[in-house]
Amino acid sequence: NINKRSILEQDVTEYKRYFEDHQTKSRTSYNILAGVGFLDKAECISMLTKIPIKHKTEIKLLTEFYKCQFLQWYIELKTGFNLLFYGYGSKKKLLEEFLEAHLKDRLLLVINGFLSKLKIKEIFLQVINRINMGVKPESRETLEELMKLIRKYFSDPDQKVQSLYIMVHNIDRQGLRTLQIQNCISILAA
């Protein structure tokens, strides 16, 4: 029993000594935020342009591969499919090239979802204005009423505009994530 106690005391002593030996004194920094110089926009852009682009060759090869898919994407859109592009990195430039190559003469609405002040109601009003429905919606109309107007227009096979292409950049941004907005966008896409 005495032997166990001395071993336990020795373990505790070694444990304490380890932390005493490895203890560092904390130092207080006297650097304050007021002493830091801030960059203006031009300096920031200048510094960012000096950062080398990683995987430049691979990005170029992948972009060229996707450009070979443009015709397939166009055919899928023409046959009624919706396209969704996701993954690491921006696809904005690539998709703008696709629009220029295949949809520049079509009725198109581009929604920049990354804009913080974007309102879904404004999108629906833009759709109504783009297809020139002959109806001037009032700003007091609800999303559901605007959606019904659009749905009614496109359900009529005799309408002048039969298809409207909609591109939404950054559909997963916080302001577009609500169930109501996702439902409205899916109905619009249908």
Side-chain angles (χ1 to χ4, degrees):
N1 193 14
I2 296 174
N3 193 18
K4 284 183 181 179
R5 180 181 266 177
S6 66
I7 291 173
L8 183 62
E9 287 174 358
Q10 185 181 0
D11 287 346
V12 170
T13 305
E14 287 178 19
Y15 178 78
K16 286 181 179 179
R17 197 182 84 223
Y18 172 83
F19 284 100
E20 289 170 357
D21 290 348
H22 291 88
Q23 189 176 25
T24 59
K25 239 184 177 183
S26 62
R27 296 183 203 158
T28 302
S29 172
Y30 295 102
N31 296 328
I32 56 173
L33 191 58
V36 177
F38 290 101
L39 298 175
D40 64 14
K41 185 176 179 180
E43 289 173 314
C44 183
I45 290 172
S46 172
M47 291 179 79
L48 288 174
T49 57
K50 292 177 185 171
I51 298 173
I53 298 173
K54 292 183 178 182
H55 311 292
K56 193 174 189 172
T57 306
E58 291 85 353
I59 291 170
K60 186 176 180 180
L61 286 171
L62 194 57
T63 301
E64 291 305 315
F65 170 75
Y66 285 136
K67 285 181 182 180
C68 293
Q69 303 296 311
F70 280 4
L71 182 58
Q72 178 66 34
W73 297 352
Y74 178 69
I75 292 169
E76 289 174 8
L77 287 174
K78 287 296 288 179
T79 55
F81 289 94
N82 297 312
L83 304 176
L84 175 66
F85 300 91
Y86 61 94
Y88 184 76
S90 175
K91 288 120 196 92
K92 189 174 187 293
K93 184 178 176 188
L94 177 72
L95 294 174
E96 285 173 350
E97 289 180 34
F98 169 67
L99 295 179
E100 185 63 31
H102 291 281
L103 298 175
K104 67 179 174 185
D105 297 329
R106 307 277 191 258
L107 193 55
L108 174 69
L109 177 66
V110 177
I111 301 166
N112 291 315
F114 44 80
L115 298 176
S116 61
K117 296 185 183 204
L118 179 70
K119 304 278 189 267
I120 194 71
K121 190 170 184 177
E122 292 173 13
I123 294 170
F124 278 72
L125 290 170
Q126 280 292 321
V127 169
I128 291 169
N129 289 334
R130 289 283 171 96
I131 58 180
N132 199 9
M133 295 172 64
V135 176
K136 287 287 184 193
E138 296 183 23
S139 60
R140 69 176 186 270
E141 290 182 281
T142 66
L143 274 177
E144 289 74 20
E145 291 170 330
L146 294 172
M147 192 171 51
K148 285 178 187 175
L149 275 173
I150 294 168
R151 183 185 265 169
K152 182 179 176 185
Y153 178 88
F154 281 108
S155 64
D156 183 355
D158 297 328
Q159 291 297 338
K160 179 181 172 188
V161 177
Q162 290 299 314
S163 58
L164 169 69
Y165 295 94
I166 302 168
M167 177 175 295
V168 183
H169 292 294
N170 203 13
I171 197 168
D172 62 343
R173 91 164 191 37
Q174 192 66 34
L176 296 177
R177 287 186 191 176
T178 67
L179 183 61
Q180 179 191 27
I181 291 174
Q182 289 291 315
N183 285 337
C184 289
I185 290 174
S186 65
I187 289 168
L188 190 58

